[in-house]
Amino acid sequence: MAAANQDTSRPQNTRAIMTFLREHAPFSSMDDTHLAHFAEHATLRFYADEDVVLSPDDGVVKRFYIVKQGRIRGERHNEKEDRAETTFEISQGECFPLAALIGERPTRTLHRASGDTFCLSIEQKAFITLFSESEPFRDFCLRGVSSLLDQVNQRIQSKAMASIGSSNSLDTPLERYALRNPIVCSPDLPVRKAVARMHENNVGSIIITDDNRHPKGIFTLRDLRTMIAEERGPLDTPIRQVMTADPCCLPSTADAFEAAMLMAEHHFAHLCVVDDENHLIGVVSERDLFSLQRVDLVNLARTIGTATHLRTLVSLRTDVSRLVDSMLAHGADSGQVVKIITTLNDVTVRRVLELNLKKNDPGIPFTWLTFGSEGRQEQTLLTDQDNGILFETPEDMTEDQVREKLLPFARKVNDELAECGFTLCKGNIMASNPKLCLSDREWDEWFVRFIDASTPQNLVYSSIFLDMRSVFGPTEPLHRLLEKVLDRIRKNALFQKMLAGNALQRKPPLTMFRNFRYLNDEKKHSLDLKRQGLAPFVESVRVFALAHGVEAANTLERMDALSRKGVFDAKDANAWKEAYSLIQAIRMRAHQEMLDRGEELTNYIDPDDLNPLDRRILRESFRQAQRLQQKLEVTYQL
């Protein structure tokens, strides 16, 4: 080992070492007795610039290190180019080499000092004691950054929880919530007897099943009120004639969050819980999910979805920020929260469309498309409009005649959405733009030109138009269009390579030595969490998804699909999902704090405002983005 000038004397100031350890995860979560054990067994070692600290040639690793001052650079030999390649840099408070110690093997990476560096070090025996006795330490050793991410999420949750109180987590499986032995009846039972059965059991719904206990329908007290008010038939009517057919079902392994999202999107208050063979095993109601939680997701969605005036929608939008705080407090992670925001945005868009159709129906069926972050279901509180219209041309009309009817309607909808807080798109990516109000044939031709002519502008457009979904109207036309688009992209290697090259323009904000790379002279200490943090993940994952026929637009869902297809290693996919979610979580928390201070929402943060744990994990998250981009570079030989 090159570091011959190291000081191996045991440090006397145990208290000072414990103070240092408490500033860094996972030691900040460990008991004082375990910190004292580390401090009492630690030696302080010095390494001059370029000294080798650990080498694969040293044999089985016998010591555990923490950087106290300076940096350690990881190097591996690149056989193709016959040179040493830096694979990572770690700094103050970070540990090494965990995998080799746990695996009782030599390190596969050469660890070298980058500048004058001091490390605290303990022998294998002391490490094993900590590993066996300290749960936070063991969890970190086995899961690394994943365990630190849990700490960040817990802190976000506890901060939001302060004004709300405790509750069950939204990750709780439905089998914990579901009403066992639900009240059921056959399709031929008269409504009168079904209602009597509901009354006897003090429940608000009854499930209509066949002989195999498969759910065929649901009847609720709300249905009874509607039946009587609209005089749909006498109470002796067979319940099959008035039930809601094909009730929504979820497996018992699904969680409360999935149930809440379905209820919010479709405006119903009950769903069936079934086993693997679709046998009814329980019922979950809105009240079950939120009886212990003051979370009004379903109620807010229903109120938005039934609003009768635009001014009501405008006032309701102010409740979304409060709901985000509440959801964070009840255990929703960043992926869940952005889906909650997107769902409420979808409900708002649909209601604005419905209110305008009542006042001035253009008489032409259409599909309202949404692009970009809304298309990916990844919107935060800071959002603008990216939308368009897809229509099928009636036989007796031309495409221009259809547009003449739809464009004034679209302009009105765009303006009213702006009143609801969805700012008008500065680039005019809106349905009121004639270039984005197109027939199925025109959209298809547009994408043919888009894919065949990989101009710089088209590559910019790729980040918008290749992430799209429908929020209103028939979905089949869009599905047919997407099938054609994905097929063309799969067959066009040049377009894929151009997309990959464009994706690599969004570099994570890390310097070669893992310092933060700030925006520019105007934003001397600012990072843009959207463009510098999230975009490298979004853009890279999109290329892989489109190249492998993944129709999902959501970034996390794309990663899961690519992992199932074997395109991504499962461990890599999990690391990338966690890193992406962490950046999103910090971004959302920053938005909430800006709202609290009455400031305009932006995506900028100063990392100096973050605590050491957040800074460390943010740096690690950006490093994961670099790893993903390296995979893109290798795949497309860029």
Side-chain angles (χ1 to χ4, degrees), residues 225-251:
R225 290 198 301 269
T226 302
M227 178 184 172
I228 294 172
E230 298 181 1
E231 298 181 349
R232 292 187 178 179
L235 291 178
D236 292 328
T237 302
I239 199 163
R240 67 171 180 272
Q241 294 182 18
V242 291
M243 71 183 185
T244 300
D246 302 318
C248 186
C249 300
L250 281 176

Side-chain angles (χ1 to χ4, degrees), residues 278-458:
N278 200 38
H279 296 134
L280 181 71
I281 59 174
V283 174
V284 171
S285 72
E286 174 188 349
R287 186 183 302 170
D288 295 328
L289 288 182
F290 302 120
S291 59
L292 300 177
Q293 305 176 357
R294 295 203 293 273
V295 179
D296 283 337
L297 167 63
V298 181
N299 183 54
L300 179 56
R302 185 180 295 119
T303 308
I304 292 172
T306 56
T308 55
H309 298 285
L310 178 66
R311 63 177 178 272
T312 307
L313 287 175
V314 174
S315 64
L316 285 170
R317 294 296 299 171
T318 61
D319 292 338
V320 177
S321 174
R322 176 192 59 80
L323 182 66
V324 169
D325 259 342
S326 190
M327 282 303 194
L328 288 171
H330 288 104
D333 62 30
S334 62
Q336 292 173 337
V337 173
V338 292
K339 279 203 169 185
I340 288 165
I341 294 171
T342 303
T343 295
L344 292 173
N345 288 350
D346 287 355
V347 174
T348 304
V349 171
R350 289 190 199 110
R351 194 55 186 159
V352 170
L353 285 162
E354 288 164 355
L355 290 175
N356 276 281
L357 285 171
K358 284 183 180 179
K359 290 185 289 187
N360 187 23
D361 189 339
I364 307 289
F366 63 87
T367 302
W368 187 270
L369 304 176
T370 186
F371 311 112
S373 59
E374 174 80 353
R376 293 191 303 272
Q377 296 178 288
E378 294 170 359
Q379 283 198 314
T380 60
L381 297 172
L382 176 59
T383 183
D384 61 0
Q385 294 186 52
D386 286 322
N387 45 50
I389 285 178
L390 164 65
F391 61 83
E392 294 180 291
T393 312
E395 291 183 7
D396 59 342
M397 297 180 71
T398 66
E399 288 155 338
D400 285 337
Q401 287 173 332
V402 174
R403 248 186 303 281
E404 194 175 332
K405 285 181 170 290
L406 287 176
L407 287 174
F409 173 85
R411 167 51 64 189
K412 182 71 172 171
V413 171
N414 286 147
D415 288 343
E416 291 191 356
L417 287 174
E419 289 186 54
C420 292
F422 304 93
T423 56
L424 295 172
C425 176
K426 294 176 182 176
N428 201 23
I429 310 293
M430 293 187 291
S432 52
N433 180 347
K435 295 179 180 178
L436 297 175
C437 180
L438 304 174
S439 70
D440 48 358
R441 182 192 66 81
E442 290 172 320
W443 273 114
D444 191 43
E445 288 184 354
W446 190 88
F447 273 108
V448 169
R449 296 193 301 273
F450 177 85
I451 293 168
D452 288 347
S454 301
T455 64
Q457 184 59 58
N458 280 359

